Coordinates of all heavy atoms in Angstrom, one line a residue:
L478 N -3.4 -13.8 17.2 CA -4.8 -13.3 16.9 C -5.6 -14.4 16.4 O -5.1 -15.2 15.7 CB -4.6 -12.2 15.8 CG -3.8 -10.9 16.2 CD1 -3.7 -10.0 15.0 CD2 -4.5 -10.1 17.3
D479 N -6.8 -14.3 16.8 CA -7.8 -15.3 16.2 C -8.2 -14.8 14.9 O -7.9 -13.7 14.4 CB -8.9 -15.5 17.2 CG -9.8 -14.4 17.4 OD1 -9.9 -13.5 16.6 OD2 -10.5 -14.4 18.5
K480 N -9.1 -15.7 14.2 CA -9.4 -15.5 12.8 C -10.3 -14.2 12.8 O -10.2 -13.4 11.8 CB -10.2 -16.7 12.4 CG -10.6 -16.8 11.0 CD -11.2 -18.1 10.6 CE -11.3 -18.1 9.0 NZ -11.9 -19.4 8.6
M481 N -11.2 -14.0 13.6 CA -12.0 -12.8 13.7 C -11.2 -11.5 13.8 O -11.5 -10.6 13.0 CB -13.1 -12.8 14.7 CG -14.0 -11.7 14.8 SD -15.6 -12.4 14.7 CE -16.6 -11.1 15.0
Q482 N -10.2 -11.5 14.7 CA -9.4 -10.4 14.9 C -8.5 -10.1 13.6 O -8.4 -9.0 13.1 CB -8.4 -10.5 16.1 CG -9.1 -10.4 17.4 CD -8.3 -10.7 18.6 OE1 -7.4 -11.6 18.4 NE2 -8.4 -10.0 19.6
N483 N -8.1 -11.1 12.9 CA -7.3 -11.0 11.8 C -8.1 -10.3 10.6 O -7.7 -9.5 9.8 CB -6.7 -12.4 11.2 CG -5.5 -12.8 11.9 OD1 -4.9 -11.9 12.4 ND2 -5.3 -14.1 11.9
E484 N -9.3 -10.8 10.6 CA -10.3 -10.3 9.5 C -10.7 -8.9 9.8 O -10.6 -8.0 8.8 CB -11.6 -11.1 9.5 CG -12.5 -10.8 8.4 CD -12.1 -11.0 7.0 OE1 -11.2 -11.9 6.9 OE2 -12.5 -10.3 6.1
E485 N -10.8 -8.5 11.0 CA -11.2 -7.1 11.5 C -9.9 -6.1 11.2 O -10.0 -5.1 10.6 CB -11.4 -6.9 12.8 CG -12.7 -7.4 13.2 CD -13.1 -7.4 14.8 OE1 -12.3 -6.7 15.5 OE2 -14.0 -8.0 15.2
L486 N -8.7 -6.7 11.3 CA -7.5 -6.0 11.0 C -7.3 -5.7 9.6 O -7.0 -4.7 9.1 CB -6.2 -6.6 11.6 CG -4.9 -5.9 11.4 CD1 -4.9 -4.5 12.1 CD2 -3.8 -6.7 12.0
R487 N -7.4 -6.8 8.8 CA -7.5 -6.6 7.4 C -8.4 -5.7 6.9 O -8.1 -4.8 6.0 CB -7.7 -8.1 6.7 CG -7.6 -8.1 5.2 CD -7.9 -9.5 4.6 NE -8.1 -10.6 5.3 CZ -7.2 -11.5 5.7 NH1 -5.8 -11.3 5.4 NH2 -7.4 -12.6 6.5
N488 N -9.7 -5.8 7.3 CA -10.7 -4.9 6.7 C -10.2 -3.3 7.2 O -10.4 -2.4 6.4 CB -12.0 -5.1 7.4 CG -12.6 -6.3 6.8 OD1 -12.3 -6.7 5.6 ND2 -13.6 -7.0 7.6
H489 N -9.7 -3.1 8.4 CA -9.2 -1.8 8.8 C -8.1 -1.3 8.0 O -8.1 -0.2 7.6 CB -8.8 -1.9 10.4 CG -8.5 -0.6 10.9 ND1 -9.4 0.4 11.0 CD2 -7.2 -0.2 11.4 CE1 -8.7 1.5 11.6 NE2 -7.5 1.1 11.9
I490 N -7.1 -2.2 7.6 CA -6.1 -1.8 6.8 C -6.5 -1.4 5.4 O -6.1 -0.4 4.8 CB -5.0 -2.9 6.8 CG1 -4.2 -2.9 8.1 CG2 -3.9 -2.6 5.7 CD1 -3.3 -4.1 8.4
Q491 N -7.4 -2.3 4.9 CA -8.0 -1.9 3.6 C -8.6 -0.7 3.5 O -8.6 0.2 2.5 CB -8.9 -3.1 3.1 CG -8.2 -4.4 2.6 CD -9.2 -5.5 2.4 OE1 -10.3 -5.4 2.8 NE2 -8.7 -6.5 1.8
S492 N -9.4 -0.3 4.5 CA -10.1 1.0 4.6 C -9.1 2.2 4.6 O -9.3 3.2 4.0 CB -11.2 1.1 5.7 OG -10.6 1.1 6.9
M493 N -8.1 2.0 5.4 CA -7.0 3.0 5.5 C -6.3 3.2 4.1 O -6.0 4.3 3.7 CB -6.0 2.6 6.6 CG -6.6 2.8 8.0 SD -5.3 2.7 9.3 CE -4.6 1.1 8.9
V494 N -6.1 2.1 3.5 CA -5.3 2.1 2.1 C -6.3 3.1 1.1 O -5.8 3.8 0.4 CB -5.1 0.7 1.5 CG1 -4.8 0.8 0.1 CG2 -4.1 0.1 2.2
E495 N -7.6 2.8 1.3 CA -8.6 3.5 0.4 C -8.5 5.0 0.6 O -8.8 5.8 -0.3 CB -10.0 2.9 0.6 CG -10.1 1.6 0.0 CD -9.8 1.4 -1.6 OE1 -10.1 2.4 -2.3 OE2 -9.1 0.4 -1.9
E496 N -8.1 5.4 1.8 CA -8.0 6.9 2.1 C -6.8 7.5 1.7 O -6.6 8.8 1.8 CB -8.2 7.0 3.7 CG -9.4 6.6 4.2 CD -9.5 6.6 5.8 OE1 -8.6 7.0 6.4 OE2 -10.6 6.1 6.4
L497 N -5.8 6.8 1.2 CA -4.5 7.3 0.8 C -4.7 8.1 -0.5 O -5.7 7.8 -1.3 CB -3.5 6.2 0.5 CG -2.9 5.4 1.7 CD1 -2.2 4.3 1.2 CD2 -2.2 6.2 2.6
P498 N -3.8 9.1 -0.8 CA -3.9 9.7 -2.0 C -3.7 8.6 -3.2 O -3.2 7.5 -3.1 CB -2.5 10.6 -2.1 CG -2.3 10.9 -0.6 CD -2.7 9.6 0.0
A499 N -4.4 9.0 -4.3 CA -4.5 8.1 -5.5 C -3.2 7.3 -5.8 O -3.2 6.2 -6.0 CB -5.1 8.8 -6.6
K500 N -2.1 8.1 -6.0 CA -0.9 7.5 -6.5 C -0.3 6.5 -5.4 O 0.0 5.5 -5.7 CB 0.2 8.6 -6.7 CG 1.4 8.1 -7.4 CD 2.5 9.2 -7.5 CE 2.2 10.1 -8.5 NZ 3.3 11.1 -8.8
Q501 N -0.5 6.9 -4.1 CA 0.0 6.0 -3.1 C -0.8 4.7 -3.0 O -0.3 3.6 -2.9 CB 0.0 6.7 -1.8 CG 1.0 8.0 -1.6 CD 1.0 8.6 -0.3 OE1 0.4 8.1 0.6 NE2 1.6 9.8 -0.2
K502 N -2.1 4.9 -3.1 CA -3.0 3.8 -3.1 C -2.6 2.8 -4.2 O -2.6 1.6 -4.0 CB -4.4 4.3 -3.2 CG -5.5 3.1 -3.2 CD -6.9 3.6 -3.1 CE -7.2 4.9 -3.8 NZ -8.7 5.3 -3.9
M503 N -2.5 3.3 -5.4 CA -2.2 2.5 -6.6 C -0.9 1.7 -6.4 O -0.8 0.5 -6.5 CB -2.1 3.3 -7.8 CG -1.7 2.5 -9.1 SD -2.9 1.3 -9.6 CE -3.8 2.2 -10.8
I504 N 0.2 2.4 -5.9 CA 1.4 1.8 -5.7 C 1.3 0.7 -4.6 O 1.9 -0.4 -4.7 CB 2.5 2.9 -5.4 CG1 2.8 3.6 -6.7 CG2 3.8 2.2 -4.8 CD1 3.7 4.8 -6.4
I505 N 0.7 1.1 -3.5 CA 0.6 0.0 -2.5 C -0.2 -1.3 -3.1 O 0.3 -2.4 -2.7 CB -0.4 0.5 -1.3 CG1 0.4 1.6 -0.5 CG2 -0.9 -0.6 -0.4 CD1 1.6 1.0 0.5
K506 N -1.2 -1.1 -3.8 CA -1.9 -2.2 -4.3 C -1.1 -3.0 -5.3 O -1.1 -4.3 -5.3 CB -3.2 -1.7 -5.0 CG -4.3 -1.3 -4.0 CD -5.6 -0.9 -4.7 CE -6.7 -0.5 -3.7 NZ -7.9 -0.1 -4.4
L507 N -0.4 -2.3 -6.2 CA 0.5 -2.9 -7.2 C 1.7 -3.8 -6.4 O 2.0 -4.8 -6.9 CB 1.1 -2.0 -8.1 CG 0.1 -1.4 -9.1 CD1 0.8 -0.2 -10.0 CD2 -0.4 -2.5 -10.1
F508 N 2.2 -3.1 -5.4 CA 3.3 -3.7 -4.8 C 3.0 -4.9 -3.9 O 3.5 -6.0 -4.0 CB 4.2 -2.6 -3.9 CG 5.4 -3.2 -3.3 CD1 6.5 -3.3 -4.2 CD2 5.5 -3.5 -2.0 CE1 7.7 -3.7 -3.6 CE2 6.7 -3.8 -1.4 CZ 7.8 -4.0 -2.2
F509 N 1.9 -4.7 -3.0 CA 1.5 -5.7 -2.0 C 0.6 -6.8 -2.5 O 0.7 -7.9 -2.2 CB 1.2 -5.1 -0.7 CG 2.2 -4.4 0.1 CD1 2.3 -3.0 0.1 CD2 3.1 -5.1 0.8 CE1 3.3 -2.4 0.8 CE2 4.1 -4.5 1.4 CZ 4.3 -3.1 1.5
L510 N -0.5 -6.3 -3.2 CA -1.5 -7.1 -3.7 C -1.1 -7.9 -4.9 O -1.4 -9.2 -5.1 CB -2.8 -6.6 -3.8 CG -3.3 -5.8 -2.5 CD1 -4.6 -5.1 -2.9 CD2 -3.4 -6.8 -1.4
E511 N -0.5 -7.1 -5.9 CA -0.2 -7.8 -7.2 C 1.3 -8.3 -7.3 O 1.7 -8.8 -8.2 CB -0.5 -6.8 -8.3 CG -2.0 -6.6 -8.4 CD -2.4 -5.8 -9.6 OE1 -1.6 -5.8 -10.6 OE2 -3.5 -5.2 -9.5
E512 N 2.1 -7.9 -6.2 CA 3.3 -8.3 -6.0 C 4.4 -7.9 -7.2 O 5.1 -8.7 -7.7 CB 3.6 -9.9 -5.8 CG 2.8 -10.2 -4.5 CD 2.9 -11.7 -4.3 OE1 3.3 -12.5 -5.1 OE2 2.5 -12.1 -3.1
K513 N 4.1 -6.7 -7.7 CA 4.9 -6.2 -8.8 C 6.2 -5.5 -8.2 O 6.3 -5.1 -7.1 CB 4.2 -4.9 -9.5 CG 2.9 -5.4 -10.0 CD 3.0 -6.3 -11.2 CE 1.5 -6.4 -11.9 NZ 1.6 -7.4 -12.9
Q514 N 7.3 -5.6 -9.0 CA 8.5 -5.0 -8.7 C 8.5 -3.4 -9.0 O 7.7 -3.1 -9.7 CB 9.6 -5.6 -9.6 CG 9.8 -7.2 -9.4 CD 10.3 -7.5 -8.0 OE1 11.1 -6.9 -7.7 NE2 9.7 -8.5 -7.4
Y515 N 9.5 -2.7 -8.5 CA 9.5 -1.3 -8.7 C 9.6 -1.0 -10.2 O 8.8 -0.1 -10.6 CB 10.7 -0.6 -8.1 CG 10.6 -0.5 -6.5 CD1 9.9 -1.3 -5.7 CD2 11.5 0.4 -5.9 CE1 9.8 -1.1 -4.3 CE2 11.5 0.6 -4.5 CZ 10.6 -0.1 -3.8 OH 10.6 0.2 -2.5
S516 N 10.4 -1.7 -10.9 CA 10.4 -1.5 -12.4 C 9.0 -1.7 -13.1 O 8.7 -0.9 -14.0 CB 11.4 -2.4 -13.0 OG 11.2 -3.8 -12.9
E517 N 8.3 -2.8 -12.7 CA 7.0 -2.9 -13.3 C 6.0 -1.8 -13.0 O 5.3 -1.4 -13.8 CB 6.5 -4.3 -12.8 CG 7.3 -5.6 -13.3 CD 6.8 -6.8 -12.6 OE1 6.9 -6.9 -11.4 OE2 6.3 -7.7 -13.4
I518 N 6.1 -1.4 -11.8 CA 5.2 -0.3 -11.2 C 5.5 1.0 -12.1 O 4.6 1.7 -12.6 CB 5.3 -0.1 -9.7 CG1 4.8 -1.3 -9.0 CG2 4.5 1.1 -9.3 CD1 5.0 -1.4 -7.5
S519 N 6.8 1.2 -12.2 CA 7.3 2.3 -12.9 C 6.8 2.4 -14.4 O 6.2 3.3 -14.8 CB 8.8 2.3 -12.9 OG 9.4 3.3 -13.8
N520 N 6.8 1.3 -14.9 CA 6.3 1.1 -16.4 C 4.8 1.3 -16.4 O 4.3 1.9 -17.3 CB 6.7 -0.2 -17.1 CG 8.1 -0.4 -17.3 OD1 8.7 0.6 -17.6 ND2 8.7 -1.6 -17.3
I521 N 4.1 0.6 -15.5 CA 2.6 0.8 -15.5 C 2.1 2.1 -15.2 O 1.3 2.6 -15.9 CB 2.0 -0.2 -14.3 CG1 2.3 -1.7 -14.7 CG2 0.6 0.1 -14.1 CD1 2.0 -2.7 -13.6
M522 N 2.8 2.9 -14.3 CA 2.3 4.1 -13.9 C 3.0 5.3 -14.6 O 2.7 6.5 -14.4 CB 2.5 4.4 -12.4 CG 1.6 3.4 -11.6 SD 1.6 3.7 -9.9 CE 0.8 5.3 -9.8
K523 N 4.0 5.0 -15.5 CA 4.7 5.9 -16.2 C 5.5 7.0 -15.3 O 5.4 8.1 -15.6 CB 3.9 6.7 -17.2 CG 3.1 5.7 -18.2 CD 4.0 5.1 -19.1 CE 3.1 4.4 -20.2 NZ 3.3 3.0 -20.2
I524 N 6.1 6.4 -14.2 CA 6.9 7.3 -13.4 C 8.2 6.6 -13.1 O 8.4 5.4 -13.4 CB 6.1 7.4 -12.0 CG1 5.9 6.2 -11.3 CG2 4.9 8.4 -12.2 CD1 5.2 6.2 -10.0
S525 N 9.2 7.3 -12.6 CA 10.5 6.8 -12.4 C 10.5 5.7 -11.2 O 9.5 5.8 -10.4 CB 11.5 7.8 -12.1 OG 11.3 8.4 -10.8
E526 N 11.4 4.8 -11.1 CA 11.5 3.9 -10.0 C 11.8 4.6 -8.6 O 11.3 4.3 -7.7 CB 12.7 2.9 -10.2 CG 12.2 1.9 -11.3 CD 13.3 0.7 -11.5 OE1 13.8 0.3 -10.5 OE2 13.5 0.3 -12.6
K527 N 12.5 5.8 -8.8 CA 12.7 6.6 -7.5 C 11.5 7.2 -7.1 O 11.1 7.3 -5.9 CB 13.7 7.7 -7.9 CG 15.2 7.3 -7.9 CD 16.1 8.5 -8.0 CE 17.5 8.1 -7.9 NZ 18.3 9.2 -7.7
T528 N 10.6 7.6 -7.9 CA 9.2 8.0 -7.5 C 8.4 6.9 -7.0 O 7.6 7.2 -6.0 CB 8.5 8.7 -8.7 OG1 9.3 9.8 -9.3 CG2 7.1 9.2 -8.3
V529 N 8.5 5.7 -7.6 CA 7.8 4.6 -7.0 C 8.3 4.3 -5.5 O 7.5 4.2 -4.5 CB 8.1 3.2 -7.8 CG1 7.5 2.1 -7.0 CG2 7.4 3.4 -9.1
A530 N 9.6 4.3 -5.3 CA 10.1 4.2 -4.0 C 9.7 5.2 -3.0 O 9.3 5.0 -1.8 CB 11.6 4.1 -4.1
S531 N 9.7 6.5 -3.4 CA 9.4 7.6 -2.6 C 7.8 7.5 -2.2 O 7.5 7.6 -1.2 CB 9.6 8.9 -3.4 OG 9.1 10.0 -2.6
C532 N 7.0 7.3 -3.2 CA 5.6 7.2 -2.9 C 5.3 5.9 -2.0 O 4.4 6.0 -1.1 CB 4.9 7.0 -4.3 SG 4.6 8.5 -5.1
L533 N 6.0 4.8 -2.2 CA 5.8 3.7 -1.3 C 6.2 3.9 0.1 O 5.4 3.7 1.1 CB 6.6 2.5 -1.9 CG 6.3 1.2 -1.2 CD1 4.8 0.8 -1.2 CD2 7.1 0.1 -1.8
F534 N 7.3 4.7 0.2 CA 7.7 5.1 1.6 C 6.7 6.0 2.2 O 6.4 5.8 3.4 CB 9.1 5.8 1.5 CG 9.5 6.3 2.8 CD1 10.3 5.5 3.7 CD2 9.3 7.7 3.2 CE1 10.7 6.0 4.9 CE2 9.8 8.1 4.4 CZ 10.4 7.3 5.2
K535 N 6.2 7.0 1.5 CA 5.2 7.9 2.0 C 3.9 7.1 2.5 O 3.3 7.5 3.4 CB 4.9 9.0 1.0 CG 6.0 10.0 0.9 CD 5.6 11.1 -0.2 CE 6.9 12.0 -0.5 NZ 6.6 12.7 -1.6
A536 N 3.5 6.3 1.5 CA 2.3 5.5 1.8 C 2.4 4.6 3.1 O 1.4 4.6 3.9 CB 2.0 4.5 0.6
R537 N 3.5 4.0 3.2 CA 3.8 3.2 4.4 C 3.8 4.1 5.6 O 3.3 3.7 6.7 CB 5.1 2.5 4.3 CG 5.1 1.2 3.4 CD 6.5 0.6 3.4 NE 6.6 -0.5 2.7 CZ 7.7 -1.2 2.1 NH1 8.8 -0.5 2.3 NH2 7.6 -2.2 1.5
S538 N 4.5 5.2 5.5 CA 4.5 6.1 6.7 C 3.0 6.6 7.0 O 2.6 6.7 8.3 CB 5.3 7.4 6.4 OG 6.6 7.0 6.2
N539 N 2.2 6.9 6.0 CA 0.9 7.4 6.2 C 0.0 6.2 6.9 O -0.7 6.5 7.9 CB 0.2 7.8 5.0 CG 0.6 9.1 4.4 OD1 1.0 9.9 5.2 ND2 0.4 9.3 3.3
L540 N 0.4 4.9 6.5 CA -0.5 3.8 7.1 C 0.0 3.7 8.6 O -0.8 3.3 9.4 CB -0.3 2.6 6.2 CG -1.0 2.6 4.9 CD1 -0.6 1.4 4.0 CD2 -2.5 2.7 5.1
K541 N 1.3 3.7 8.8 CA 1.7 3.6 10.2 C 1.1 4.6 11.1 O 0.7 4.3 12.1 CB 3.2 3.6 10.2 CG 3.9 2.4 9.7 CD 5.5 2.6 9.6 CE 6.1 1.4 9.0 NZ 7.7 1.7 8.9
M542 N 1.1 5.9 10.7 CA 0.5 6.9 11.5 C -1.0 6.6 11.7 O -1.5 6.9 12.9 CB 0.7 8.4 10.7 CG 2.1 8.8 10.8 SD 2.4 10.6 10.2 CE 1.0 11.0 9.3
K543 N -1.6 6.1 10.7 CA -3.1 6.0 10.8 C -3.3 4.7 11.8 O -4.3 4.7 12.6 CB -3.7 5.5 9.4 CG -3.9 6.8 8.7 CD -4.5 6.4 7.2 CE -4.5 7.6 6.3 NZ -5.7 8.4 6.5
L544 N -2.5 3.7 11.7 CA -2.5 2.6 12.7 C -2.3 3.0 14.2 O -2.9 2.4 15.0 CB -1.5 1.5 12.2 CG -2.1 0.5 11.2 CD1 -1.0 -0.4 10.7 CD2 -3.3 -0.3 11.6
A545 N -1.3 4.0 14.3 CA -0.9 4.4 15.6 C -2.1 5.2 16.2 O -2.2 5.3 17.5 CB 0.4 5.1 15.6
A546 N -2.9 5.8 15.5 CA -3.9 6.8 16.0 C -5.0 6.0 16.6 O -5.4 4.9 16.5 CB -4.4 7.6 14.8

């Protein structure tokens, strides 16, 4: 992909992330952008690590479905 296509893809993905439910959006941002571990996200959001994992899975699934559409 050239630089312009990469930028367009990045913008498209960012807009899709913004459409996610609030908890999923926060976990995606903490995990991928801030590179936090499950335990850190768990502490920040006051939820269990299992919930972090579950929400991250759901968020990824939602993003994959949106990308395929």
